[in-house]
Amino acid sequence: MSQSSDTVVMVRPHHFASNPETMGDNAFQSLAKDGVNVAEAAYNEVTEAVSKLRDYGVQVHLFEDKTRATPDSVFPNNWFSTHASDELVLYPMYCENRRKERRPDIIEFLCSQYGYHELVDFSAQESDGVFLEGTGSIVFDHEHKLAYAARSKRMHESALKALCQKLGYEPVAFDATSRGGKPVYHTNVLMAVGSDFVMASIDMIRDDKERRRFVDTVARSRKTLVELTEEQIEHFAGNTLELVANGGRLLAISSTAHNVLSTEQVKMLEQWVTLMPINVPTIELGGGSIRCMLAQIF
């Protein structure tokens, strides 16, 4: 099974804002500077990102969000994922206003266009206080059927195990925290998996046993570990996504993240991928970066 795809879904918000419901546990989230028209800037950043992805050969299905009820709709990867084994999975979301992001029109389009035979709907777990926020909470190694996941309010291990049992993946759960002891809210800000590499800050996995298990699991997958610092994570260096286009591999990475990579890290990554920096500073105020904006279609 291929690790990466050449097709993504993106949502362009007309009223983007920093979501007050997610502020409590998202250390990456901040308020906009005075004088910035956040909604207009975010709209333009998505437009430019779509254009750049298409220029590189990635197919983008772009949906509009004209409502004010879903300030985080620009991050569709949290509420659904698609799988080459014909499943489309819907996930239980932690914040109530994020549950409104699930769109029947997108689901219908994907099932019609790509023929997913099974809709796996875990969203009912929200009523039990159990959450698992898609490929924000889970970083898949599709080639080796691994599901890396950092425990948090948005990643309950019982839901992870149920999903892995359904898909036939091995769960790799661990605790990851900031220097101040705050849990990393989404796994995909901590790490990314490509076809030949794993980018991650292993120092943020504070428990020695869990850190060793993580490193051993990466080694078993025969992928090179590209270690990131916590400071680089704070600048979204872990929030990247490998894509394929025109017979080659790309790494979607924000300009913010690209600017904090060392020369050695860039050289390592360029063995395998063409780095594709995309400028999304306004959207990063919402606590996510370019990877969160891309829902892969397999």
Side-chain angles (χ1 to χ4, degrees):
M1 186 180 296
S2 174
Q3 175 61 28
S4 302
S5 75
D6 61 359
T7 305
V8 297
V9 162
M10 296 182 69
V11 175
R12 179 163 53 190
H14 291 235
H15 301 284
F16 176 80
S18 190
N19 187 351
E21 290 191 20
T22 61
M23 187 74 76
D25 69 333
N26 186 344
F28 296 80
Q29 190 173 340
S30 58
L31 298 174
K33 296 177 182 177
D34 291 341
V36 176
N37 186 330
V38 171
E40 181 181 355
Y43 181 96
N44 292 335
E45 286 173 11
V46 173
T47 302
E48 291 169 11
V50 170
S51 178
K52 188 164 190 176
L53 287 161
R54 287 174 173 165
D55 285 346
Y56 273 83
V58 178
Q59 182 177 4
V60 181
H61 296 301
L62 179 62
F63 293 85
E64 305 292 337
D65 178 21
K66 297 182 179 180
T67 75
R68 296 180 182 273
T70 49
D72 277 335
S73 62
V74 73
F75 305 132
N77 75 306
N78 296 148
W79 66 263
F80 81 91
S81 67
T82 67
H83 300 267
S85 46
D86 278 350
E87 296 96 351
L88 191 157
V89 182
L90 303 181
Y91 291 93
M93 305 290 287
Y94 174 66
C95 293
E96 288 190 18
N97 66 5
R98 295 217 61 192
R99 299 169 193 175
K100 299 174 184 177
E101 294 173 27
R102 287 191 291 262
R103 287 176 51 170
D105 62 326
I106 295 179
I107 296 168
E108 183 179 349
F109 169 82
L110 292 173
C111 289
S112 173
Q113 184 82 4
Y114 294 98
Y116 298 110
H117 293 130
E118 187 172 6
L119 184 65
V120 181
D121 190 352
F122 285 97
S123 62
Q125 296 189 30
E126 291 165 351
S127 61
D128 298 322
V130 174
F131 310 109
L132 185 69
E133 295 194 339
T135 55
S137 292
I138 311 158
V139 176
F140 289 111
D141 181 335
H142 292 296
E143 295 169 306
H144 298 89
K145 295 196 170 185
L146 301 170
Y148 295 97
R151 300 180 189 96
S152 72
K153 291 178 181 178
R154 308 191 196 196
M155 197 295 283
H156 287 201
E157 206 163 351
S158 60
L160 175 68
K161 289 178 179 177
L163 176 70
C164 287
Q165 184 175 14
K166 175 65 182 175
L167 298 179
Y169 279 52
E170 175 189 342
V172 184
F174 52 87
D175 290 318
T177 61
S178 67
R179 283 182 285 259
K182 192 170 187 174
V184 173
Y185 83 105
H186 270 166
T187 313
N188 75 358
V189 296
L190 179 80
M191 64 174 293
V193 174
S195 299
D196 299 289
F197 61 90
V198 173
M199 303 170 68
S201 174
I202 61 172
D203 291 341
M204 295 178 73
I205 305 174
R206 310 292 175 180
D207 181 82
D208 290 341
K209 185 176 180 180
E210 290 193 334
R211 189 186 316 113
R212 283 196 302 271
R213 183 195 175 203
F214 181 94
V215 171
D216 289 346
T217 301
V218 173
R220 180 161 48 92
S221 72
R222 297 185 178 181
K223 299 191 178 189
T224 301
L225 180 61
V226 179
E227 292 194 39
L228 302 173
T229 67
E230 183 165 354
E231 183 179 3
Q232 288 175 321
I233 294 298
E234 290 167 354
H235 289 82
F236 297 103
N239 198 239
T240 68
L241 182 66
E242 184 187 271
L243 299 165
V244 291
N246 298 324
R249 294 181 183 137
L250 310 169
L251 188 68
I253 182 170
S254 78
S255 298
T256 303
H258 186 259
N259 290 340
V260 297
L261 293 180
S262 69
T263 302
E264 182 180 355
Q265 288 168 328
V266 169
K267 187 176 179 180
M268 286 183 70
L269 291 168
E270 286 180 339
Q271 296 176 80
W272 309 298
V273 292
T274 298
L275 298 181
M276 183 173 51
I278 299 175
N279 199 39
V280 289
T282 309
I283 290 167
E284 287 175 334
L285 295 171
S289 189
I290 189 64
R291 191 277 167 266
C292 299
M293 298 165 61
L294 307 174
Q296 279 185 299
I297 305 304
F298 289 95

